[in-house]
Amino acid sequence: NGTYCTAIPMTPSNVSNEEAKYTVKIRFAMAMNQQTLDEQYIQISQNMKSSLTSFYQATITDFQRVVILYLRVGSLIVEHELVTRNTQLDQQKSDITSTMQRLNSGSVKIIYENEEQQITSLELKDPETEQFVNISSASACTIYEAVNPCPKDHQCSETDGQLACSPRPQSDSYKLTFGLGVGISVAATIIIMAVIVYVYMKRSGNTCMREPPRDYDNESETSGNSGDSLIHTSVKGMAKRLDTTGISGPFSLPRVTANQINETGARATQFPHNQHYPRSSRLN
């Protein structure tokens, strides 16, 4: 504006195939106001770049350079890129994870203008989500995977203080889902089979209980009247006593009581032996 210059965040740097970069945001507890930052932006940027370069050279394997993206007040926020050679990536990830943890705990310090600077917050950008991970509330594995995510079928694991990507074990949720799926399928199959068996047995039972049709053509002789029953003799020589109480229909014999026989002198109807009658007129 003719008096002060305004800092514009730099475009993230392009790296070659032989390089890798990590984005870090550090908040320093430094007394800094906007006017001072505007007036001394270039000098503060160069000094911070020098301080960070010295720090990373001592802590990160195959360190290459620091690129300052922007400076902001509050007290002083420095977002920058950490660029390394694209070799020994596993070691680099372990180094960066350890460095972030040590900076967050205060066990190591960044020297700015010959003074150790206190860090109030530290964040690392996840390259997959493009979101910053707060180191103060993150585990070592969260930091490790934010540096360079593990393959899809792997996850971070810590053994004897060493971090590495290892094959992901079969989760309990997968086992539970699989078990429920199989259990429900088996139960449904059993229910369906039970219904089929029930329907089959019910139909079979009705068929067995159905009264077979009467063989009127096989009956050749009917004689006698004894109370509520008739004695039938078939051509096969088998005598049957049939209860006729309450039976009525076109083929039923009229019921004759003893009193009626005494009063009228009627005698039981005798049908000639070995004589057949048409279906439509027999017993009329």
Side-chain angles (χ1 to χ4, degrees):
N1 61 7
T3 303
Y4 303 108
C5 64
T6 301
I8 300 175
M10 294 179 61
T11 303
S13 62
N14 295 321
V15 296
S16 65
N17 293 332
E18 291 77 28
E19 294 180 326
K21 66 177 180 180
Y22 313 93
T23 304
V24 184
K25 185 190 295 185
I26 302 176
R27 184 189 295 268
F28 292 94
M30 296 171 59
M32 184 72 62
N33 56 51
Q34 190 64 51
Q35 182 176 349
T36 302
L37 182 61
D38 289 343
E39 293 174 346
Q40 304 177 27
Y41 189 91
I42 294 176
Q43 186 64 42
I44 294 173
S45 178
Q46 290 177 345
N47 291 344
M48 186 58 68
K49 178 178 179 179
S50 177
S51 296
L52 291 172
T53 297
S54 298
F55 175 76
Y56 287 135
Q57 280 179 334
T59 56
I60 306 297
T61 301
D62 289 334
F63 167 79
Q64 285 286 87
R65 62 185 180 277
V66 168
V67 177
I68 301 294
L69 297 180
Y70 69 78
L71 305 177
R72 294 179 182 173
V73 294
S75 299
L76 180 64
I77 301 172
V78 182
E79 184 172 331
H80 61 283
E81 290 178 341
L82 165 62
V83 182
T84 65
R85 280 191 290 270
N86 195 13
T87 57
Q88 305 184 61
L89 290 179
D90 289 341
Q91 184 60 49
Q92 284 181 19
K93 289 194 290 184
S94 295
D95 289 347
I96 295 173
T97 300
S98 175
T99 298
M100 297 297 109
Q101 288 182 305
R102 293 170 66 194
L103 277 174
N104 183 68
S105 67
S107 61
V108 294
K109 301 286 186 179
I110 294 177
I111 307 299
Y112 178 80
E113 293 185 342
N114 299 320
E115 292 184 5
E116 292 184 345
Q117 300 298 325
Q118 181 183 357
I119 295 176
T120 58
S121 70
L122 182 62
E123 297 176 86
L124 183 65
K125 180 179 283 187
D126 188 321
E128 287 192 340
T129 64
E130 292 294 318
Q131 300 296 318
F132 280 96
V133 176
N134 192 332
I135 303 300
S136 62
S137 59
S139 64
C141 272
T142 301
I143 301 171
Y144 186 83
E145 293 204 56
V147 171
N148 196 359
C150 293
K152 186 175 182 180
D153 57 344
H154 287 63
Q155 67 179 11
C156 171
S157 61
E158 184 174 2
T159 305
D160 297 330
Q162 295 297 318
L163 299 173
C165 290
S166 57
R168 188 183 301 275
Q170 191 179 49
S171 65
D172 292 337
S173 60
Y174 172 79
K175 294 178 181 178
L176 178 60
T177 302
F178 180 78
L180 287 175
V182 173
I184 293 174
S185 300
V186 172
T189 302
I190 293 175
I191 292 173
I192 293 173
M193 293 179 65
V195 171
I196 293 174
V197 171
Y198 172 78
V199 172
Y200 175 79
M201 294 297 294
K202 185 175 181 181
R203 290 181 177 177
S204 299
N206 289 340
T207 302
C208 294
M209 295 176 64
R210 190 177 298 122
E211 183 180 355
R214 293 179 61 181
D215 188 3
Y216 292 104
D217 292 336
N218 195 36
E219 297 177 359
S220 60
E221 180 178 340
T222 304
S223 62
N225 186 330
S226 175
D228 293 331
S229 64
L230 296 175
I231 298 177
H232 295 265
T233 303
S234 66
V235 294
K236 297 179 180 179
M238 298 178 64
K240 299 181 181 178
R241 180 179 296 275
L242 302 179
D243 187 2
T244 60
T245 304
I247 296 177
S248 62
F251 303 107
S252 301
L253 294 176
R255 182 174 180 178
V256 182
T257 64
N259 292 333
Q260 290 174 325
I261 294 175
N262 294 332
E263 292 175 0
T264 62
R267 302 184 61 169
T269 303
Q270 300 291 330
F271 293 95
H273 293 276
N274 301 324
Q275 183 174 350
H276 294 275
Y277 299 92
R279 286 181 180 272
S280 59
S281 61
R282 184 177 353 127
L283 302 182
N284 287 340

